[in-house]
Amino acid sequence: MDVATAPFLTIPNLPPSVLIVIVPFLVIAGVLTTTRLYTTIRYCLALPRHTSATDKSAKAKPPPPVPYTIPILGHAISFLAPRPGKFWANLFRSHPRATGSCTLLLGGRNIYILFSPSAVQALFKTRGPARDGFNLQIVEKGLGIDCKEGLRFFGIGEGPDHTGITPAQQLENIDHNYLLGKKSVNELTAEFVRVLRDQVTSKLKGEGGEGKEKDDALYAWLQDMMFNASTTAFMGSRILEVYPNLREDFFNFDRVMLTMFFGIPKWLSPKAYNVREKTLGGLIEWQQQMQEECKSNPADPDGDVDWEPVYGSRANRARQRYYASRGLNTRTRAGIDLGFLFGLSSNAIPAAGWMLMHILDPEGDQSLLSRVMEELERARRDDGTLDIPTLIGLPLLHSVLHEVLRLYVDVLVTRELEEDLKLPLDDGKRQVLLKKNAVVMAPSWLGHRDEALWVDPPCHQFCAERFLKTDPETGKSVFSTSGTNGKFFPFGGGKSMCPGRVFGKQEILASVALVLLAFEFEPLGFVDEQRKSKNEFPGLRKSYSGSGIMAMDGDMRVKIKSRK
């Protein structure tokens, strides 16, 4: 039989209109199949070199490239799915953790992912890798700032000015002097505590006072007080007077910021961009009024005034002066301020909320609240104020905070490589090669929730005492993070570690302390985001990787009354 007429090779005589429809699908299917087949073969050939126990003396190799199906996009679609931890769980169903690293293709760019504690720790100690491009992406895509204005703010590539300091060094000095310096942080914390105490006092008079009780959602109740206090302490009291809807608009922005940062176009998510414009509009109005009130000359951050109502703290006044020296327009200033609010409130407030919910959890350790209260009494002065140095030294409270950070922080510590970099794996027995011009990420989720690193109790469980150890000399419990290098990094690591971490810790601990010392709470059950009753402790709200402190998908209903 002639091969050309063999029945199984005969191509149906289809109408052109049908072929027009079918052929593109066949071509796409062929491309996707070929891509998957090629990347799988490449992965299978590379993987043994990263897992072989007999290949530890060989030269360093790039992380194995994980297979994908869609050219250019690679793993981007599944990586951007707003389900915390889902991408990593799917990845490690087939990719062995023993490799310590892997390569993902995200939107046409190779991204190295590190999850070996040795490699992560070494990355943090390396001075070469930078994050300039990542910072620009944040301000441009996430905050809506023009590219030229973003470059002007960071001063990337600029040399020193007449004082011999570059713009980058000026920003570092602001962080070091006003966000990390002990005197400035203590002043900032004192102002935060003062404002929060005023709000707590108001709550005591307005609800739960004189034997009254009130039912409320715990986190929503806390969020309002903490946002007002931290914003006032850092930014001044005038901002909430000029922009009274800031809290509501900010938390709407908080939910959508990463949508824009990851490049989701406006036509796919118009609400996100509209929310940002509304929030920026309110901050622009505030900026314009404050510039008029202080005649574009904020109070000297190094003067005698530690806080004033127009621009608030020394740190904010120093930043406002930096904006002026760089010639930033009002929209850019408002955008950078929005970014600061994001760092100020989108992490500390949820962290305090998670702490309170675990301490009060009716299904958790029933002795935890009494043990925390016993510690807090040691930090309360005779006049009812908090002794902050004592507070931040309380071991159990500190352990609860760090366990919350371990369970609920999701950050992508990102660096850009300007030259090839070799990092150790397995305590240096093997090495991984990261090639220049690539991006490397160290996801906190992979260190914080590694079942092999957090064993007793298992990593998915909350354990208030996880960061406590017994002092062999005194027999007392002491707080300790020893042995967690490279696997626990809630504030990032290296030279770009979060500059607000010192104030952030004090803000969280002070909030939890003031609330627990002032009020009694009776848990009444849990609710979802629509305030409908549910049986389970709140879980994680849908969010993208890199969200910082992940928000909860519900709340705890409580009966609140003042303590006697």
Side-chain angles (χ1 to χ4, degrees), residues 452-474:
L453 300 178
W454 308 91
V455 179
D456 186 19
C459 66
H460 63 277
Q461 291 183 11
F462 174 84
C463 175
E465 299 82 8
R466 193 181 295 272
F467 291 90
L468 292 181
K469 294 186 177 180
T470 302
D471 187 318
E473 296 183 1
T474 65

Side-chain angles (χ1 to χ4, degrees), residues 34-109:
T34 302
T35 301
R36 188 70 189 189
L37 182 62
Y38 166 74
T39 58
T40 299
I41 293 173
R42 181 182 61 175
Y43 175 74
C44 291
L45 292 174
L47 190 59
R49 300 197 297 269
H50 294 269
T51 57
S52 173
T54 61
D55 193 29
K56 294 185 177 180
S57 61
K59 65 178 183 180
K61 309 172 191 67
V66 177
Y68 54 87
T69 302
I70 306 176
I72 301 177
L73 284 178
H75 308 90
I77 294 177
S78 54
F79 184 80
L80 291 177
R83 300 181 64 185
K86 185 67 174 180
F87 177 83
W88 306 119
N90 290 337
L91 173 66
F92 289 115
R93 286 195 179 101
S94 56
H95 182 73
R97 274 188 175 267
T99 60
S101 62
C102 66
T103 304
L104 303 179
L105 181 67
L106 299 178
R109 188 164 190 182

Side-chain angles (χ1 to χ4, degrees), residues 132-153:
D132 293 341
F134 182 72
N135 289 339
L136 278 175
Q137 279 189 310
I138 291 175
V139 299
E140 290 177 41
K141 294 182 178 180
L143 304 176
I145 294 172
D146 178 75
C147 177
K148 291 182 179 178
E149 285 285 292
L151 288 170
R152 184 177 293 118
F153 171 71

Side-chain angles (χ1 to χ4, degrees), residues 283-296:
L283 290 173
I284 287 171
E285 181 181 353
W286 166 70
Q287 268 286 355
Q288 290 172 336
Q289 289 198 33
M290 295 309 98
Q291 289 176 44
E292 291 179 6
E293 289 186 19
C294 72
K295 297 180 171 39
S296 298

Side-chain angles (χ1 to χ4, degrees), residues 162-300:
H162 65 281
T163 65
I165 300 176
T166 67
Q169 289 171 327
Q170 292 181 54
L171 287 172
E172 289 178 4
N173 288 342
I174 291 173
D175 289 343
H176 183 270
N177 293 335
Y178 305 112
L179 288 176
L180 293 172
K182 183 176 180 180
K183 178 177 182 293
S184 297
V185 171
N186 288 343
E187 288 177 348
L188 193 56
T189 302
E191 183 61 25
F192 169 79
V193 170
R194 182 191 69 78
V195 179
L196 188 61
R197 281 194 71 200
D198 288 346
Q199 295 197 61
V200 167
T201 301
S202 176
K203 293 275 187 183
L204 287 169
K205 293 178 180 178
E207 56 192 50
E210 299 179 357
K212 295 180 182 178
E213 297 179 347
K214 179 182 179 181
D215 291 0
D216 211 333
L218 176 63
Y219 180 62
W221 176 84
L222 174 74
Q223 185 188 74
D224 180 54
M225 289 194 299
M226 278 193 70
F227 180 83
N228 291 342
S230 60
T231 301
T232 300
F234 192 86
M235 309 286 283
S237 57
R238 293 285 288 121
I239 187 170
L240 293 175
E241 296 169 4
V242 175
Y243 189 180
N245 294 327
L246 175 59
R247 184 188 65 81
E248 179 182 352
D249 290 347
F250 170 79
F251 283 105
N252 287 334
F253 168 78
D254 178 48
R255 295 183 74 119
V256 300
M257 190 271 197
L258 287 182
T259 298
M260 295 171 287
F261 170 71
F262 283 125
I264 307 300
K266 185 175 182 179
W267 61 270
L268 272 179
S269 187
K271 180 181 178 180
Y273 290 83
N274 292 338
V275 165
R276 184 176 68 188
E277 286 307 304
K278 181 182 180 184
T279 311
L280 283 174
L283 290 173
I284 287 171
E285 181 181 353
W286 166 70
Q287 268 286 355
Q288 290 172 336
Q289 289 198 33
M290 295 309 98
Q291 289 176 44
E292 291 179 6
E293 289 186 19
C294 72
K295 297 180 171 39
S296 298
N297 186 31
D300 184 359

